[in-house]
Amino acid sequence: ANRSLGAMTGGDRAAYAARVAAEPALPQAVAKTLAGDDDIAVAKLVLRLSPVLTDADLAAIAVTQSQSHLAAIAERATLS
């Protein structure tokens, strides 16, 4: 799945992300790729909802991505 993401358009990636954002069985590598997408439309729901992202994953995204990404992280139900 992770290799296929690069071939998708932004709209397709956003639609896929919306479907899998809260999925506990989503592979962590896929969640990290979606959450770190430069397009906030792709990353937002994954950042807010994904149970497979670790604190380290979120911290890495927080220092490399936009303020919109930070806002999505801040909207998570729980933060460590």
Side-chain angles (χ1 to χ4, degrees):
N2 209 18
R3 285 180 273 173
S4 302
L5 291 174
M8 293 180 174
T9 66
D12 288 341
R13 287 192 320 277
Y16 176 70
R19 285 194 311 273
V20 301
E23 178 58 53
L26 183 67
Q28 187 180 23
V30 175
K32 286 170 54 174
T33 298
L34 292 169
D37 198 294
D38 289 339
D39 185 346
I40 191 61
V42 174
K44 185 174 185 168
L45 283 178
V46 178
L47 288 169
R48 287 181 58 211
L49 302 174
S50 180
V52 301
L53 292 173
T54 66
D55 289 345
D57 297 333
L58 296 169
I61 291 166
V63 298
T64 60
Q65 292 294 337
S66 71
Q67 291 295 314
S68 295
H69 287 73
L70 288 173
I73 292 169
E75 292 173 1
R76 289 179 69 87
T78 58
L79 288 172
S80 296

